[in-house]
Amino acid sequence: MLRTEIYERSPMRVFDASLEGGIGAGELGGVLGSAGVGKSALLVHIALDRIMHDQKVLHVSMRSSAEHVRSFYDEIFQGVARLARFKTEDRLAVQVERNRVIHSYLNRNFGVGDLRAAMDLMADVMQFAPSCLLLDGFEGDLEALSAFAKERQVAIWVTPPNGQSDPLF
């Protein structure tokens, strides 16, 4: 199956091996590095990998507009499909769209309360319950975020705000 082959040939297999499978439900992981090294791109790879496993993903960006993040997904998805030597099929692109929600909070505060409200609204209105959350540029309480991950049994990947690479943000 095309989806299986794309998954198996994804560069994420190397990443998973280094993390012994990645992070699981109820866990919080951080992606750290200097500006421009590819933290946001790694988040998109993580999301696409989860989507290829039929999981739902919520991607929240404090760095970019939703349209910019969506174009990043398209570009990376095309690259992974090329690496797997397949032409992108519309049904896989539809799967990505159905299993991903992108929110942008440019120039606004965003905390665990906002995340809780967004997830509750998505569950009630869209019947969308993500198992993986990606928070790109999160500037908030990491302890509260970790408690939220445990409470909701979701895997959360987070990058620091622009210009910061301190593990404690």
Side-chain angles (χ1 to χ4, degrees), residues 103-115:
H103 285 191
S104 176
Y105 287 83
L106 282 173
N107 304 317
R108 296 181 5 203
N109 289 331
F110 179 82
V112 173
D114 300 302
L115 182 57

Side-chain angles (χ1 to χ4, degrees), residues 54-123:
D54 291 322
Q55 296 179 28
K56 294 188 181 328
V57 172
L58 170 61
H59 189 132
V60 179
S61 179
M62 281 62 73
R63 301 175 191 266
S64 304
S65 69
E67 185 57 37
H68 179 78
V69 174
R70 185 173 288 106
S71 69
F72 219 24
Y73 272 86
D74 293 343
E75 183 178 337
I76 291 172
F77 181 75
Q78 297 290 332
V80 170
R82 273 192 309 276
L83 179 66
R85 295 188 177 106
F86 288 106
K87 295 180 182 173
T88 302
E89 290 191 5
D90 289 339
R91 63 185 169 92
L92 285 180
V94 168
Q95 178 180 349
V96 170
E97 287 297 321
R98 285 185 179 156
N99 290 299
R100 170 200 73 202
V101 171
I102 300 170
H103 285 191
S104 176
Y105 287 83
L106 282 173
N107 304 317
R108 296 181 5 203
N109 289 331
F110 179 82
V112 173
D114 300 302
L115 182 57
R116 182 181 312 282
M119 285 187 62
D120 289 345
L121 182 67
M122 286 186 302

Side-chain angles (χ1 to χ4, degrees), residues 123-158:
D124 291 343
V125 175
M126 301 167 54
Q127 288 72 50
F128 189 90
S131 61
C132 181
L133 311 178
L134 308 166
L135 307 179
D136 196 8
F138 183 73
E139 186 171 8
D141 184 346
L142 291 177
E143 287 182 30
L145 188 61
S146 180
F148 181 79
K150 287 180 179 89
E151 170 194 324
R152 296 288 177 111
Q153 282 300 290
V154 295
I156 301 178
W157 285 97
V158 61

